């Protein structure tokens, strides 16, 4: 009888071959499982990324948030989307060679589609944010000019000329996005009309000319009333922008 | 590993399911919520010119002119006359109703932008502005209900209950009674001028005055005054 040691020694080449085969099988199985895991993670990653973007966009609109906080959350979101747009669908180097396989190819195509739609949403949102920032800048200028006094005496009329003149300059100096240009132009015109009406009142008062004073009063009422046109112009422009954001939102998160 | 994968997939799948259901419901509001962030429309929607304290020289001039019996200086615009009546048991101040209605009709933000001036006359006006108790509303037309204001032929009828307390939806949305009164006078007069009801043009936009704002703002913002697009009148032949 041969001892076990002798048996192994006599069949050494066979043992080595079998061990190598088993070892290789274990490595191949391990790599296959790892590949599956990495491809699953790849898919989960872009799905989660898209869902996170949607949640963050909705959270930024939470009623308890102040307007400034909403804008800053939107900006953070759009920046984050934009920063990750190129690396979003990069495949891990360990499994990169498997990209040609049909399933994996499909995953990558889906990732690029999702990424493109989320990026498109981010860009539309950024456009809305830029518009809302301009909207706020012009609002502050107009709110300051309109003031809170509902009854003004002679002394204050001259101040009004200066106030509206300054508002006119501030609006002209405002650096706004293309979508806001028409609103800015209209705001400039309407503010200039208010300034002109105040000048007319001041001049009529100085000349003690009743006829010109009555005309000036009428102009002033109409000029203030016409500020309403800015409201309508702006609402019309933003309606188009908001609609584009909604379409991009639906494409990215709803009609997938 | 696969158990972990399955769990992860399930959570993502569930997330997407929730997103599709809850997200679907809220997504319709995304653009509306965004539109509500605008500040400019609210700021400039309704701005009154400040009142000017009449200067001493003008007071004196006017007093002198009055003493001599000279007319004061007025502009020449087309005049629309109307008379005022009440119907049913009225508890609101009729003097205040007359005064506020006239101020609304001649306000620089209102129908006067058609280039007309509204003048109250004792009788025989081009239309009759009525302050009516709610129970009398149907006496003007079967089409008028007891709940809201109405226009029937030449009668522009303001429901006293609405005049005194606006509507629950208006009040719940934070609208003021002053604006409601502007709105209801402009709206019903708008019918006499030839307008039908309008729909909200889009979330965040000022509501057309001919929208039924008493019932629902439908995403629009309060607006007691006619919009640019509403400045026409078949009744007066103004297009």
């Amino acid at each position: 009888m041969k001892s076990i040691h002798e048996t192994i020694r006599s069949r050494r080449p066979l043992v080595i071959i079998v061990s190598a085969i088993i070892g290789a099988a274990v490595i191949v199985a391990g790599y296959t499982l790892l590949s599956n895991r990495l491809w699953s993670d790849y898919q989960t990653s872009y799905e989660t990324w898209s869902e996170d973007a949607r949640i963050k966009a909705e959270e930024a609109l939470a009623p308890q948030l102040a307007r400034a906080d909403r804008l800053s959350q939107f900006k953070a979101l759009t920046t984050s989307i934009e920063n990750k747009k190129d690396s979003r669908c990069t495949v891990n180097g360990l499994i990169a060679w498997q990209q040609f396989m049909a399933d994996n190819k499909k995953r990558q195509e889906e990732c690029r589609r999702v990424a493109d739609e989320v990026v498109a949403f981010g860009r539309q949102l950024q456009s809305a944010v830029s518009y809302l920032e301009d909207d706020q800048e012009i609002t502050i200028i107009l709110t300051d000019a309109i003031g809170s006094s509902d009854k003004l005496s002679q002394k204050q009329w001259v101040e009004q000329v200066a106030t509206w003149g300054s508002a006119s300059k501030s609006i002209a100096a405002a650096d706004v996005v293309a979508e806001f240009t028409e609103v800015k132009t209209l705001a400039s015109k309407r503010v200039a009309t208010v300034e002109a009406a105040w000048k007319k009142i001041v001049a009529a008062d100085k000349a003690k000319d009743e006829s010109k004073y009555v005309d000036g009063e009428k102009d002033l009422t109409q000029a203030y009333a016409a500020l309403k046109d800015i409201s309508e112009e702006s609402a019309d422009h933003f309606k188009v922008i908001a609609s584009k954001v909604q379409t991009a939102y639906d494409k990215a998160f709803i009609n997938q | 590993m696969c158990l972990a994968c399955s769990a992860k997939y399930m959570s993502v799948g569930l997330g997407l399911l929730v997103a599709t259901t809850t997200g679907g419901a809220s997504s319709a509001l995304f653009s509306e919520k965004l539109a509500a962030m605008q500040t400019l429309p609210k700021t400039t929607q309704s701005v009154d010119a400040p009142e000017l304290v009449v200067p001493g020289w003008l007071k004196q001039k006017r007093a002198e002119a009055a003493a001599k019996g000279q007319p004061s200086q007025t502009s020449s615009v087309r005049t629309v006359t109307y008379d005022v009546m009440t119907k049913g048991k009225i508890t609101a101040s009729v003097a205040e109703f007359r005064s506020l209605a006239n101020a609304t009709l001649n306000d620089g933000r209102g129908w006067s932008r058609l280039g007309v001036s509204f003048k109250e006359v004792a009788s025989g006006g081009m239309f009759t502005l009525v302050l009516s108790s709610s129970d009398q509303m149907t006496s003007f037309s079967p089409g008028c209900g007891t709940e809201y204001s109405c226009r029937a032929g030449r009668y522009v009828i303001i429901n006293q209950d609405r005049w005194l307390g606006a509507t629950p939806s208006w009040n719940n949305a934070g609208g003021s009674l002053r604006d409601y009164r502007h709105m209801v006078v402009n709206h019903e007069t708008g019918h006499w001028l030839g307008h039908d009801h309008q729909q909200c043009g889009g979330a965040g936009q000022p509501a057309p005055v001919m929208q039924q704002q008493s019932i629902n703002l439908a995403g629009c913002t309060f607006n007691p005054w006619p919009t640019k697009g509403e400045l026409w009148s078949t009744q007066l032949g103004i297009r």
Side-chain angles (χ1 to χ4, degrees):
Chain A
M1 281 286 284
K2 284 181 180 175
S3 70
I4 292 173
H5 288 289
E6 284 172 340
T7 308
I8 290 173
R9 206 174 296 135
S10 65
R11 295 183 183 173
R12 195 168 192 170
L14 185 64
V15 169
I16 290 170
I17 289 168
V18 169
S19 301
I21 289 170
I22 291 171
V26 168
I27 289 167
V28 168
Y31 180 72
T32 306
L33 290 172
L34 179 69
S35 296
N36 283 341
R37 167 78 183 256
L38 290 174
W39 279 110
S40 294
D41 286 352
Y42 176 83
Q43 183 171 348
T44 309
S45 162
Y46 70 74
E47 286 170 348
T48 309
W49 179 65
S50 164
E51 179 56 5
D52 279 351
R54 188 194 71 80
I55 290 170
K56 280 179 183 156
E58 289 285 356
E59 280 175 353
L61 286 171
Q64 68 271 21
L65 283 182
R67 187 180 189 276
D69 293 334
R70 288 178 174 188
L71 285 179
S72 103
Q73 289 200 15
F74 277 145
K75 281 167 94 172
L77 172 62
T78 55
T79 307
S80 140
I81 290 173
E82 201 63 30
N83 287 346
K84 287 184 184 164
K85 72 178 191 319
D86 295 328
S87 59
R88 189 62 266 156
C89 296
T90 308
V91 179
N92 188 312
L94 280 174
I95 52 169
W97 67 272
Q98 297 171 11
Q99 291 178 62
F100 70 92
M101 293 177 186
D103 275 0
N104 300 336
K105 216 171 172 182
K106 209 172 159 189
R107 279 172 169 146
Q108 286 178 89
E109 282 165 5
E110 185 60 8
C111 178
R112 280 192 282 271
R113 185 193 66 77
V114 168
D116 285 349
E117 282 167 1
V118 172
V119 167
F121 166 72
R123 287 180 183 165
Q124 291 298 346
L125 187 60
Q126 181 51 52
S127 157
V129 168
S130 301
Y131 188 97
L132 288 170
E133 284 174 334
D134 292 340
D135 162 279
Q136 186 163 20
E137 185 178 357
I138 303 300
T139 299
I140 291 168
I141 295 169
L142 288 174
T143 306
D144 286 349
I146 292 165
S148 54
S149 304
D150 52 5
K151 202 166 188 177
L152 298 174
S153 63
Q154 269 167 302
K155 275 194 293 186
Q156 295 163 302
W157 299 348
V158 180
E159 290 166 15
Q160 287 297 309
V161 173
T163 300
W164 286 93
S166 158
S168 188
K169 280 180 195 154
S170 300
I171 291 173
D175 184 17
V176 300
V177 291
E179 291 85 348
F180 200 82
T181 310
E182 283 179 44
V183 179
K184 177 185 160 177
T185 306
L186 183 69
S188 291
K189 279 186 195 163
R190 294 293 179 265
V191 166
T193 310
V194 177
E195 185 190 2
W198 277 115
K199 279 183 178 167
K200 202 169 177 178
I201 298 262
V202 169
D205 180 49
K206 208 172 172 186
K208 296 190 171 141
D209 184 328
E210 184 179 3
S211 169
K212 280 185 182 161
Y213 179 85
V214 171
D215 272 354
E217 246 186 340
K218 212 182 298 162
D219 285 358
L220 196 68
T221 306
Q222 282 173 355
Y224 271 79
L227 292 173
K228 179 176 180 291
D229 297 341
I230 306 170
S231 152
E232 291 176 14
E233 184 79 17
S234 186
D236 282 349
H237 279 276
F238 195 72
K239 187 184 172 190
V240 176
I241 294 171
S243 158
K244 284 181 184 169
V245 176
Q246 184 69 59
T247 305
Y249 179 102
D250 291 345
K251 272 182 98 175
F253 308 123
I254 306 298
N255 311 319
Q256 293 179 11
Chain B
M1 183 174 69
C2 283
L3 271 177
C5 279
S6 306
K8 211 165 186 181
Y9 266 126
M10 274 177 71
S11 71
V12 170
L14 266 173
L16 288 173
L17 184 66
V18 169
T20 317
T21 50
T22 60
S26 62
S27 72
L29 295 171
F30 194 85
S31 60
E32 289 174 19
K33 287 179 193 165
L34 210 52
M37 287 176 70
Q38 296 174 90
T39 51
L40 203 45
K42 289 167 205 150
T43 309
T44 55
Q45 188 172 312
S46 178
V47 187
D48 286 316
E51 191 186 329
L52 305 183
V53 176
V54 180
W57 63 266
L58 186 57
K59 274 186 195 163
Q60 196 183 340
K61 228 172 193 179
R62 282 176 178 169
E64 284 167 9
K68 289 177 191 166
Q70 291 170 344
S72 59
Q73 295 192 29
T74 53
S75 59
S76 55
V77 289
R78 186 171 170 186
T79 302
V80 173
T81 59
Y82 67 96
D83 50 271
V84 176
M85 64 172 267
T86 60
K87 188 145 193 193
K89 189 181 174 191
I90 298 300
T91 54
S93 160
V94 178
E96 185 190 31
F97 174 72
R98 281 175 192 277
S99 159
L100 286 177
N102 188 268
T104 299
L105 292 171
N106 287 302
D107 193 289
R109 296 163 291 182
W111 293 117
S112 69
R113 285 155 70 206
L114 290 168
V116 298
S117 156
F118 290 85
K119 187 180 178 194
E120 186 188 331
V121 293
S123 61
M126 292 163 75
F127 68 90
T128 298
L129 181 64
V130 185
L131 180 63
S132 171
S133 60
S134 58
D135 62 325
Q136 290 297 313
M137 291 297 295
T138 51
S139 69
F140 289 93
S141 159
C144 293
T146 55
E147 199 174 350
Y148 296 109
S149 300
C150 188
R151 197 279 309 213
R154 57 170 284 114
Y155 294 100
V156 170
I157 313 139
I158 308 300
N159 186 323
Q160 179 176 237
D161 289 353
R162 303 286 73 79
W163 180 258
L164 291 175
T167 61
S169 67
W170 182 277
N171 296 330
N172 291 340
S176 71
L177 182 59
R178 176 173 167 269
D179 277 349
Y180 184 84
R181 287 175 169 180
H182 284 316
M183 188 280 293
V184 76
V185 168
N186 283 327
H187 181 96
E188 299 309 335
T189 305
H191 283 308
W192 179 80
L193 288 166
H195 289 263
D196 289 326
H197 284 142
Q198 295 289 312
Q199 301 293 319
C200 172
Q205 292 199 66
V209 79
M210 296 312 295
Q211 182 182 328
Q212 291 178 292
Q213 297 178 57
S214 290
I215 300 171
N216 191 344
L217 285 166
C220 270
T221 57
F222 299 122
N223 175 32
W225 308 105
T227 58
K228 271 190 295 185
E230 292 177 306
L231 292 180
W232 54 267
S233 167
T234 49
Q235 178 73 252
L236 302 175
I238 299 170
R239 296 199 172 271

